[in-house]
Amino acid sequence: MQKTKVLIVEDNIDNYELVRFLLEHSGYETFWAHSGREAITMLKTERADLILMDLSLPEMDGWTATERIKSDPQTKHIPIIALTAHTLPGDRKRALDAGCDGYLSKPMNLELFAETIEQVLSKAKRKRKSGPIL
Ligand code: MN
């Protein structure tokens, strides 16, 4: 069976290593983009079942990258979870307004991390099953 493949968009290598470790430990396959622009480029050739999106990124921030991914018919079905230290009031709403399907704040709560990923993935799966086949 094919492993669920997660794109980690993160410019901080320590955060990236931690997220990659947690995901691979849970049986997910991962790949890495260090900016919003790189994420969009990679999605043209690589399959992703889920995106974990940092918001403060070089070249193109996570809000903009999310909007682009969600407005492209080729990639709009991919669920996106914002993963960010932006925990000011309104940041959560701004991430969801940009099209994110979920939101996790740093530093991470490990239980919530796993739970949110499972929820967002199963919701996306249900949506694909009931939606029109494009
Ligand atoms: Mn960052």
Side-chain angles (χ1 to χ4, degrees), residues 10-12 54 56-57 106:
E10 174 63 77
D11 61 322
N12 178 294
D54 180 26
S56 294
L57 291 163
K106 297 177 199 167

Side-chain angles (χ1 to χ4, degrees), residues 4-66:
T4 300
K5 200 169 162 187
V6 185
L7 171 59
I8 303 167
V9 191
E10 174 63 77
D11 61 322
N12 178 294
I13 190 153
D14 294 328
N15 290 340
Y16 159 70
E17 292 285 2
L18 174 62
V19 171
R20 185 186 67 165
F21 172 79
L22 293 172
L23 289 171
E24 291 184 354
H25 187 73
S26 303
Y28 297 108
E29 190 183 330
T30 68
F31 63 118
W32 179 29
H34 79 278
S35 73
R37 191 172 303 285
E38 191 179 40
I40 286 171
T41 304
M42 285 179 140
L43 288 171
K44 293 187 199 304
T45 53
E46 297 257 359
R47 181 192 108 239
D49 303 304
L50 174 70
I51 300 168
L52 288 190
M53 179 74 79
D54 180 26
L55 293 176
S56 294
L57 291 163
E59 293 171 1
M60 182 193 293
D61 68 39
W63 291 284
T64 308
T66 297

Side-chain angles (χ1 to χ4, degrees), residues 77-98:
H77 65 281
I78 307 170
I80 301 177
I81 298 173
L83 187 61
T84 178
H86 287 263
T87 49
L88 295 171
D91 280 341
R92 185 189 178 92
K93 188 179 179 299
R94 213 181 136 204
L96 298 175
D97 284 349

